[in-house]
Amino acid sequence: MTATARHRVTGTPLVSAQWLATVLVAASLVELMILRVGTRTAIHIPGLEEIAGPYRVFAATGRLAFFAAVVLLAVLLPYLARELLVARQSHAAATLSIFVIFAGLGALRVIGSNVMAPAVTAIIASLAVVVLGRERRPLNVVVGLFILAYLAHASYGILQSSFGVEATRSFRRVPLAAELVAVLAAAASGPLMRRALGLAVAPSRRMMWASFVVGVVVTGAIVANPSTVHILMLWNFGLTGSLPAAAYGFAAASLTVAIASSLRAGRQQLALALTLLFLGGMGLTSTYQSGLVVAGLGLLGLAVGRDNRSVDVAGSAARR
């Protein structure tokens, strides 16, 4: 039976939100490594003009990955809204739809950043409340801390740019506090995610070594060239690099464990959701990155909703 015939018989879509999210994560990682990190680092390399041809190909690949990621995100969000609506999560579906409308109006320049920024912040806050109300407690801690950091950082920017709030001494500490909370969320993600999945606290030796390598690379990069890496962290994730380098390394290692553990447990949607959340970064960096956060929350709501239905079915079967 062909894929089209199966679609007609079962009524299931040929392309799922999970498949789109998988391709989106791949494209986002490529554009992050090439466009947002690689090209911005390469401009500091002496004699770059001698390899101008390969560099142009390198940069074009990054731009292509970025355009692909934007298109995939634009397709994924309506798919997610549809699947959430089918899963009887109408509030989450409506919130995603509202974000799509505002993102479209912003892209057409019908509304400016003074309207777009508060609207996106309110949408993410509303979606987080809806999604977190359905999650298990260990997962709530990780996602809740990240969203708290995001909203604090976004609110700081809105109050400064849109309302001209004076940067008092206490007010200037908000971004650092938000950064601390975001790093704490990533650092706690490994053990808390394994607890939520019912896994042993200590990961396998292979997973532990892989996360250790990630942590060493991140820490080493910050120590080796702090000025450049701090700028890249600020541009890409809204992080200033004010904390010790080892803190970011440990956070990256723990996040690696959380994502790998979700994949190992067969929870692809959960792994994709976590990846999208942290790829989006903190605060209102761009509509694209805010869209990654929205997509991550929507996918998380879908994953948790399916888990809850599985638990309900298992409980009904046990009572019989």
Side-chain angles (χ1 to χ4, degrees):
M1 186 180 291
T2 64
T4 304
R6 283 196 301 269
H7 168 64
R8 288 172 182 168
V9 172
T10 62
T12 57
L14 292 174
V15 177
S16 66
Q18 180 176 318
W19 185 88
L20 286 169
T22 302
V23 183
L24 171 60
V25 166
S28 296
L29 287 172
V30 171
E31 70 89 8
L32 171 65
M33 298 306 299
I34 294 179
L35 191 63
R36 288 193 274 157
V37 175
T39 57
R40 290 170 175 175
T41 305
I43 59 175
H44 300 290
I45 299 176
L48 181 63
E49 62 278 359
E50 297 179 5
I51 54 169
Y55 174 76
R56 281 196 291 268
V57 174
F58 179 73
T61 303
R63 287 193 293 271
L64 179 61
F66 173 73
F67 293 141
V70 171
V71 172
L72 285 164
L73 179 62
V75 176
L76 171 62
L77 290 174
Y79 262 83
L80 270 176
R82 176 190 176 279
E83 292 197 15
L84 286 167
L85 192 60
V86 170
R88 298 180 180 178
Q89 298 188 49
S90 56
H91 290 90
T95 308
L96 257 73
S97 302
I98 292 171
F99 176 83
V100 171
I101 293 171
F102 271 93
L105 292 175
L108 295 173
R109 301 189 185 279
V110 175
I111 58 175
S113 59
N114 59 330
V115 175
M116 189 70 180
V120 169
T121 304
I123 288 168
I124 290 178
S126 301
L127 185 57
V129 170
V130 172
V131 172
L132 290 175
R134 303 173 63 90
E135 291 180 7
R136 298 176 183 176
R137 186 167 297 176
L139 197 56
N140 271 344
V141 174
V142 176
V143 179
L145 286 175
F146 174 79
I147 295 301
L148 178 63
Y150 182 97
L151 295 177
H153 199 284
S155 300
Y156 174 84
I158 292 170
L159 290 173
Q160 263 202 323
S161 60
S162 300
F163 298 98
V165 176
E166 293 184 7
T168 62
R169 189 176 210 182
S170 300
F171 188 59
R172 284 196 298 268
R173 294 175 181 171
V174 172
L176 179 58
E179 184 165 348
L180 180 61
V181 172
V183 171
L184 180 61
S189 62
L192 288 178
M193 194 58 57
R194 291 185 68 82
R195 180 182 174 186
L197 295 170
L199 302 174
V201 177
S204 66
R205 183 174 298 180
R206 182 181 298 179
M207 191 183 298
M208 190 175 293
W209 275 109
S211 62
F212 176 76
V213 169
V214 170
V216 169
V217 169
V218 171
T219 304
I222 297 174
V223 172
N225 195 347
S227 57
T228 300
V229 176
H230 287 171
I231 292 173
L232 292 173
M233 289 168 63
L234 184 62
W235 283 346
N236 297 328
F237 302 106
L239 302 172
T240 63
S242 302
L243 302 176
Y248 299 102
F250 181 78
S254 184
L255 182 60
T256 302
V257 170
I259 295 171
S261 298
S262 300
L263 290 173
R264 180 69 63 85
R267 301 286 304 281
Q268 288 83 1
Q269 285 187 342
L270 184 56
L272 291 168
L274 287 173
T275 306
L276 287 170
L277 282 175
F278 284 93
L279 277 175
M282 283 201 316
L284 303 166
T285 306
S286 66
T287 304
Y288 159 67
Q289 287 185 245
S290 296
L292 294 180
V293 175
V294 171
L297 286 172
L299 198 62
L300 189 63
L302 198 62
V304 172
R306 285 177 178 171
D307 288 344
N308 291 341
R309 288 197 300 275
S310 299
V311 171
D312 291 342
V313 170
S316 298
R319 284 192 293 271
R320 291 173 193 160

